Amino acid sequence: MQGSNSKAFPASARAALDDAVLQSALHNLKSGFPVRRAEVVADLPEFEALRDAGRDIKDHTLANLDAYLELYEERVTASGGQVHWARTAAEACDIVMRICNDAGARTVTKGKSMVAEEIGLNERLDASGIRRVETDLGEYIVQLRGETPSHIIVPAVHVTRQEIGATFREAHDGLDPDRSLDDPRAITDEARERLRADFFAAEVGITGANFLIAESGSSVIVTNEGNGDLTQTLARVHVVVASIEKLVPTAEDAMAILRLLARSATGQEASVYTTVSTGPRRPGDPDGPEAYHVVLVDNGRSALIGTGFQDMLRCIRCAACMNHCPVYGAVGGHAYGWVYPGPMGAVLTPSLIGIDHSSHLPNASTFCGRCEQVCPMRIPLTRMMRNYRAVAHERGLGSRRARLALTLWVLVASRPVLYRWAARAGAAALRVLAFGRGRLRRLPLAAGWTATRDLPTPEAGGTFMSRYRRGQQR
Amino acid sequence: MQAPQRDEKPLRVGLFVTCLVDLFRPSVGFAAIRLLEDAGCEVVVPRSQGCCGQPAYNSGDNAGARAVARTLLDGFADCDHVVIPSGSCAGMLHHHLADLFADDAELGHRARHLAARCHELVSFLVDVLGVTSVEARCEARATYHDSCSGLRELGVREQPRRLLASVDGLELAEMTEAEVCCGFGGTFCVKYPEISDAMVANKLANIVAADAGLVLAGDLGCLLNMAGKASREGHDIAFRHVAEVLAGTDGTPALGRG
């Protein structure tokens, strides 16, 4: 597991809000993806029915996960590949490193994989001296900058075009200083030229998987750049690193969910490349790897099965929740402090690394519910965030001041007569403090509010209950 | 007001006034009573009502939420319906109250019985009572903010717009992202004030862009948040609960103005 910085969420969020460059990048994200998603969803009348189907496919798979995992392994083996089971992040990394070393790897190409981030594979590869080349453009940019992804499908969403140009000029030897890197095309061309040689040099290509298909032992990835194809077909050894909940029973199931994935993620009807791989190169195949390995990662997932958090395992990592989340839109992905940001991260992070390290994440939500509204797999994200708040509360996490305030409030609010009296006193006090101006610019104990907002004062004449009892109708 | 005639005896409706209306904006409670009575309901306001428990429930303090919400289980026993001028409190009672008491057979039964009768005010007028228009006048170019719980938990979207369309003199201008959260979020706004402020700043920018002089919503929490931000930033924009306009404003100054 990579180190988590989720405990620092409030400070990280404040820094993010003060970062003008990040804010401009986030503005583009917020105004782009939600609009495009809404358009393609409106064009597909059966979208809601597809969501039900997607949910049911995953629920069925999770209910029979043991059987489907065994079937999947059997089919991978039958097609000449090998399945490796990894209980923990460390085990998964050990397995990948062993495969790389056995293959004599000096260069490894890598497609975008969030589970690789989760298990800390990048750090392990880099520490071993093997040259790691990220082949997804966003991941490549993030790698050159020594950062981590801030979004699960657009890893470099926090980086502006100008910053990318500067990063390339610093990292790419022999880059003509007069060459323009101003537009996306020029940036892509420059990255492509650099990556081309690495695709051919790599002994091992590592990809994630969007789906694992049990009936055929296949893995499926979708990309918009085609880098996944080159990563997995040009290297001698292809390693798929995938978590166990990527499994679906059939190719048809995968195709049904694919229709949800692209629309929910980028607002495309389909991703540009959908690549299915089944085992290594067969006699007569024009290309493909000599060896095919799948590292199946549990890392805490099987412990969620049968709990109130099992539904999170339906997640297909489309990022619709974060694209529509006003909190993510305000602070970006890095503030969340671990691999998975946004609403899905606010549930998955405590599920995988523990609520003790991440209690801010499920709390930093207004429960606006926009994430659930767009989640293609109908994951009850707010309910699960609320459940984590309950766990955090039981364990005494969170600020002592907030807990004390809550305890006092419950003490008063659970006694209606006292509560009405307190409301009357509170209304009167707020009006006195406002000196008849109708609003307060400062209020002790509510500085969080009044630092940037006025507080409108209560209406004249007392509380509703007292006025109603006095028989006033206005 | 245009509402279907009822031959049978009038519906007995309990008004759950909510903490914020009780404390900050009693005229919303009186507006709700007027709207319900005009539509032919008999309105009662039980004394035994406090808070729905949402601040504790959303803080993960389920025991505290039960202690608070329990105070509501008896007061509305003789009402056909319970009507609430807030999507947030109505959502809490309608969708979450039963979960809170799920482990207790007796209280659970009473909670389910109450939850099933709870409605948000404007959707109750339109969906249950069949109100299609109101007799009210308000000279303003207004914009409507969709509060999150009302919109996504209770499906309140067209109902307020439909009734507002019948208000004389009112021009409704939709803002961009009317359905995006204003950043209030109950205790969220004081636990994560900077994020909350960024969200309400975004909301205010959309309000200003809609060139509206009046902002309406169905939840006082959102309204206090938006009104407080607008006044701090020096904008001359009025904020009112939608019920105030539908019932005909009674001269009470807009939020934060007196």
Side-chain angles (χ1 to χ4, degrees):
Chain A
M1 183 206 309
Q2 257 182 265
S4 146
N5 196 30
S6 297
K7 281 186 172 173
F9 177 82
S12 311
R14 279 193 291 274
L17 287 163
D18 288 339
D19 183 338
V21 176
L22 173 66
Q23 290 301 320
S24 111
L26 288 171
H27 179 78
N28 296 336
L29 173 88
K30 280 187 287 189
S31 50
F33 284 139
V35 175
R36 288 208 290 278
R37 177 200 171 273
E39 285 168 3
V40 294
V41 166
D43 283 346
L44 188 70
E46 69 267 37
F47 189 76
E48 292 304 311
L50 260 182
R51 288 173 78 188
D52 290 339
R55 175 197 57 203
D56 294 347
I57 290 166
K58 282 285 189 178
D59 280 349
H60 167 80
T61 312
L62 291 168
N64 302 280
L65 192 59
D66 50 349
Y68 283 121
L69 282 168
E70 284 175 7
L71 176 64
Y72 172 75
E73 181 184 31
E74 186 194 308
R75 297 296 152 91
V76 172
T77 309
S79 63
Q82 197 179 343
V83 171
H84 309 262
W85 302 83
R87 251 177 314 218
T88 63
E91 275 183 30
C93 287
D94 290 346
I95 294 164
V96 177
M97 295 311 299
R98 206 169 54 235
I99 295 168
C100 290
N101 290 331
D102 289 352
R106 290 192 310 195
T107 299
V108 166
T109 45
K110 206 169 139 280
K112 197 176 79 58
S113 160
M114 291 313 294
V115 76
E117 303 282 337
E118 174 189 325
I119 62 177
L121 182 59
N122 295 349
E123 290 81 350
R124 278 293 294 276
L125 284 165
D126 295 350
S128 75
I130 294 175
R131 199 165 73 92
R132 168 177 65 98
V133 181
E134 294 291 342
T135 63
D136 172 271
L137 179 57
E139 283 282 355
Y140 179 67
I141 293 163
V142 164
Q143 180 184 22
L144 291 183
R145 293 168 60 86
E147 296 178 330
T148 55
S150 68
H151 187 285
I152 64 173
I153 64 164
V154 270
V157 70
H158 58 286
V159 190
T160 60
R161 207 178 295 164
Q162 291 72 25
E163 288 178 315
I164 298 170
T167 299
F168 280 8
R169 285 189 200 288
E170 201 174 305
H172 291 176
D173 293 337
L175 175 57
D176 180 356
D178 294 331
R179 176 167 176 182
S180 165
L181 290 175
D182 289 343
D183 64 280
R185 181 64 202 236
I187 288 169
T188 312
D189 285 347
E190 169 64 16
R192 179 178 285 140
E193 280 166 34
R194 297 285 164 162
L195 288 171
R196 186 64 58 173
D198 294 323
F199 280 123
F200 287 107
E203 293 85 4
V204 175
I206 300 173
T207 66
N210 293 94
F211 303 96
L212 302 174
I213 300 173
E215 66 172 358
S216 59
S218 310
S219 56
V220 182
I221 56 169
V222 295
T223 72
N224 281 319
E225 298 164 19
N227 63 302
D229 291 37
L230 298 178
T231 301
Q232 69 187 43
T233 49
L234 293 178
R236 276 193 286 113
V237 178
H238 177 199
V239 182
V240 178
V241 182
S243 48
I244 52 174
E245 84 281 13
K246 295 289 174 187
L247 210 62
V248 292
T250 67
E252 204 179 329
D253 295 329
M255 296 309 133
I257 300 178
L258 270 175
R259 299 181 71 198
L260 290 163
L261 176 59
R263 287 177 171 86
S264 301
T266 50
Q268 293 167 287
E269 291 185 346
S271 303
V272 178
Y273 296 86
T274 299
T275 312
V276 181
S277 25
T278 314
R281 182 196 302 210
R282 294 162 301 186
D285 280 354
D287 55 22
E290 291 163 21
Y292 177 81
H293 297 270
V294 182
V295 182
L296 279 178
V297 182
D298 183 340
N299 203 29
R301 287 165 176 77
S302 57
L304 299 178
I305 291 176
T307 73
F309 301 104
Q310 174 178 317
D311 291 344
M312 195 59 220
L313 297 177
R314 291 206 297 265
C315 178
I316 55 173
R317 308 290 190 269
C318 71
C321 61
M322 61 195 75
N323 292 343
H324 290 78
C325 176
V327 174
Y328 179 94
V331 303
H334 286 151
Y336 289 77
W338 200 54
V339 180
Y340 302 104
M344 58 78 72
V347 177
L348 195 57
T349 304
S351 297
L352 297 182
I353 71 171
I355 188 73
D356 295 354
H357 303 285
S358 56
S359 67
H360 274 298
L361 306 190
N363 273 288
S365 160
T366 62
F367 283 160
C368 81
R370 215 173 169 219
C371 50
E372 283 179 6
Q373 193 184 15
V374 296
C375 174
M377 305 307 288
R378 298 201 191 280
I379 299 171
L381 289 158
T382 57
R383 193 187 77 207
M384 289 192 288
M385 279 188 243
R386 191 195 307 282
N387 289 346
Y388 271 126
R389 291 186 189 186
V391 176
H393 181 82
E394 275 165 27
R395 295 198 192 173
L397 305 171
S399 93
R400 283 174 61 177
R401 208 179 118 179
R403 292 177 67 86
L404 179 66
L406 185 62
T407 306
L408 288 173
W409 178 83
V410 168
L411 210 65
V412 177
S414 56
R415 292 163 175 79
V417 176
L418 180 60
Y419 193 51
R420 273 200 296 280
W421 177 85
R424 279 203 302 277
L430 288 173
R431 285 195 66 83
V432 168
L433 286 170
F435 296 106
R437 278 193 305 266
R439 53 188 181 268
L440 289 149
R441 290 186 67 84
R442 262 193 215 93
L443 184 65
L445 302 175
W449 178 295
T450 54
T452 56
R453 284 161 278 207
D454 293 344
L455 180 66
T457 51
E459 211 172 288
T463 64
F464 174 84
M465 290 306 270
S466 60
R467 283 166 63 181
Y468 183 80
R469 292 298 152 213
R470 287 201 306 266
Q472 256 180 278
Q473 285 298 309
R474 51 169 52 219
Chain B
M1 174 180 284
Q2 292 277 312
Q5 294 293 311
R6 288 176 182 279
D7 296 332
E8 66 268 46
K9 82 179 175 59
L11 288 174
R12 187 175 166 85
V13 170
L15 179 68
F16 174 53
V17 74
T18 79
C19 306
L20 290 179
V21 167
D22 184 42
L23 177 63
F24 281 96
R25 201 71 183 161
S27 46
V28 174
F30 293 115
I33 293 174
R34 272 205 300 285
L35 287 165
L36 291 164
E37 287 181 346
D38 286 355
C41 300
E42 177 199 352
V43 182
V44 295
V45 183
R47 269 184 86 82
S48 175
Q49 58 171 293
C51 172
C52 66
Q54 198 171 183
Y57 188 54
N58 285 353
S59 301
D61 180 5
N62 291 347
R66 269 191 294 275
V68 174
R70 218 191 134 133
T71 63
L72 294 179
L73 295 184
D74 300 321
F76 297 93
D78 62 345
C79 299
D80 298 315
H81 297 282
V82 179
V83 170
I84 304 147
S86 156
S88 170
C89 310
M92 170 72 195
L93 292 176
H94 188 72
H95 284 297
H96 303 291
L97 189 69
D99 288 348
L100 209 45
F101 293 99
D103 294 339
D104 185 317
E106 157 64 13
L107 294 177
H109 174 75
R110 279 152 65 190
R112 281 193 301 278
H113 182 57
L114 174 61
R117 290 175 294 142
C118 286
H119 306 266
E120 184 276 336
L121 171 67
V122 182
S123 55
F124 180 75
L125 291 171
V126 173
D127 299 338
V128 179
L129 299 180
V131 175
T132 54
S133 66
V134 294
E135 277 153 34
R137 182 160 189 83
C138 179
E139 293 286 345
R141 179 179 161 89
T143 195
Y144 182 83
H145 164 71
D146 291 286
S147 296
C148 299
S149 304
L151 175 69
R152 282 180 272 267
E153 285 195 321
L154 302 169
V156 181
R157 182 183 167 80
E158 299 309 324
Q159 304 92 326
R161 289 177 171 82
R162 182 165 174 192
L163 296 188
L164 286 170
S166 70
V167 173
D168 277 347
L170 192 79
E171 179 196 353
L172 198 63
E174 293 290 342
M175 69 173 115
T176 310
E177 297 185 341
E179 84 298 345
V180 173
C181 182
C182 73
F184 174 66
T187 56
F188 175 87
C189 66
V190 285
K191 282 182 181 160
Y192 302 97
E194 296 87 359
I195 303 174
S196 171
D197 180 57
M199 288 164 70
V200 73
N202 191 47
K203 177 59 68 176
L204 181 61
N206 285 326
I207 291 169
V208 170
D211 194 25
L214 174 64
V215 178
L216 302 172
D219 268 272
L220 213 48
C222 318
L223 284 161
L224 289 167
N225 186 35
M226 295 185 293
K229 184 64 181 174
S231 101
R232 178 63 58 93
E233 300 290 322
H235 290 282
D236 183 24
I237 301 169
F239 290 80
R240 287 185 188 275
H241 192 285
V242 64
E244 297 176 48
V245 169
L246 295 180
T249 41
D250 59 6
T252 308
L255 272 169
R257 291 186 172 182

